[in-house]
């Protein structure tokens, strides 16, 4: 059993293998796995929750669901007893989405494999795998900077895991945002200061929504200024080369990170990312169960 909480203990070769396996998934030709998974989504989710549920069904893995609200956690139960209980009941993998940044708390417990479905602003490895598979499929890994992230980097778990994966694969990562939304740690990042710099230096970009639920002083956040400088308008998009691609992990807030016309532009490829939602979770279960 192996946790999939981040990419720290995964070698470059192993990450490349995971991406290759995602690209090869045929949803109609899957070897069945007899196992039991617990989906524990403590924050709202559409894509991650459904794709983990559907991936489990396609693999023949049984599903049970719970949340912190209805568990004994509210009675003071600690994590170790919670995980021991899961193990005793035959649960082999737990997919967790949480607002907390506590993936380290899970790492020493080896009897149940924990897969991150998104923790705080620090971890969303399966979205990073979706995005990497999409970049590979669209031929974007031939750039020094295959992707520049634009938007709320500070609060984004998609960005945290995406930069970790791309940096470990040997690629630079570009970023373009305002000073309020830049992460504290900028190691391994190429910081751009204008749309012109972004377009000139990267093969594609990934838009990130402004995470209103995580901004401490939301009432003082200047959305008008943010939109003026960082919204992807169709005018900016029309200056990009024909093979330029724009990605988005979703949910998309039209009118904030992208304007209505750009959101309908064929360079906006969120639909290509969606195609890998289930394959990436199939490979994540297989990885966690030592089946890959
Ligand atoms: N991209 C992503 O994590 O979407 P959900 O919040 O809908 O799962």
């Amino acid at each position: 059993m192996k946790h999939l909480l981040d990419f720290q203990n995964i070698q470059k070769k192993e990450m490349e293998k995971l991406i290759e396996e995602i690209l090869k998934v045929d949803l109609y030709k899957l070897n069945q796995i007899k196992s039991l998974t617990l989906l524990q989504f403590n924050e709202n989710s559409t894509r991650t929750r459904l794709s983990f549920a559907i991936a489990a069904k396609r693999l023949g893995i049984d599903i049970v669901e719970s949340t912190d609200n209805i568990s004994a956690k509210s009675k003071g139960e600690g994590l170790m007893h919670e995980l021991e209980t899961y193990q005793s009941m035959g649960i082999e993998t737990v997919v967790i989405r949480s607002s907390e940044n506590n993936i380290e708390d899970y790492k020493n417990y080896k009897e149940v494999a924990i897969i991150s479905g998104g923790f705080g602003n620090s971890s969303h490895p399966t979205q990073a795998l979706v995005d990497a598979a999409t970049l590979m499929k669209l031929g974007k890994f031939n750039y020094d900077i295959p992707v520049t992230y634009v938007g709320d980097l500070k609060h984004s778990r998609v960005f945290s895991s995406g930069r970790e994966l791309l940096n470990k694969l040997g690629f630079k990562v570009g970023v373009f945002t305002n000073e309020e939304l830049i992460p504290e740690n900028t190691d391994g990042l190429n910081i751009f200061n204008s749309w012109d710099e972004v377009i000139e230096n990267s093969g594609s970009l990934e838009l990130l929504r402004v995470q209103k639920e995580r901004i401490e002083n939301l009432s003082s956040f200047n959305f008008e200024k943010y939109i003026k400088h960082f919204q992807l308008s169709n005018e900016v998009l029309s200056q990009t080369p024909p093979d330029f691609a724009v990605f988005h992990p979703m949910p998309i807030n039209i009118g904030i990170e992208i304007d209505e016309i750009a959101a309908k532009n064929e360079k906006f490829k969120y639909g290509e990312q969606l195609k890998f939602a289930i394959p990436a979770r199939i490979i994540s279960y297989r990885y966690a169960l030592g089946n890959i």
Side-chain angles (χ1 to χ4, degrees), residues 44-49 97 124 127 249-251:
N44 292 353
S45 164
T46 299
R47 282 144 291 273
T48 313
R49 184 171 51 83
R97 172 163 288 195
H124 199 352
Q127 180 67 46
M250 306 176 84

Side-chain angles (χ1 to χ4, degrees), residues 14 19 22-23 60 68 84 88 91 99 101 117 123 126 160 172 204 206-207 210 212 246:
E14 210 177 358
I19 297 165
I22 292 168
L23 289 163
D68 284 352
E84 280 170 0
S88 75
I91 291 167
S99 60
N101 278 314
S123 154
T126 64
S160 296
K172 291 179 191 153
S204 62
E206 174 129 347
L207 297 175
V210 176
K212 292 178 186 167
V246 178

Side-chain angles (χ1 to χ4, degrees), residues 25-30 58:
V25 167
D26 178 341
L27 291 177
Y28 302 97
K29 281 189 200 154
L30 292 168
R58 292 286 169 95

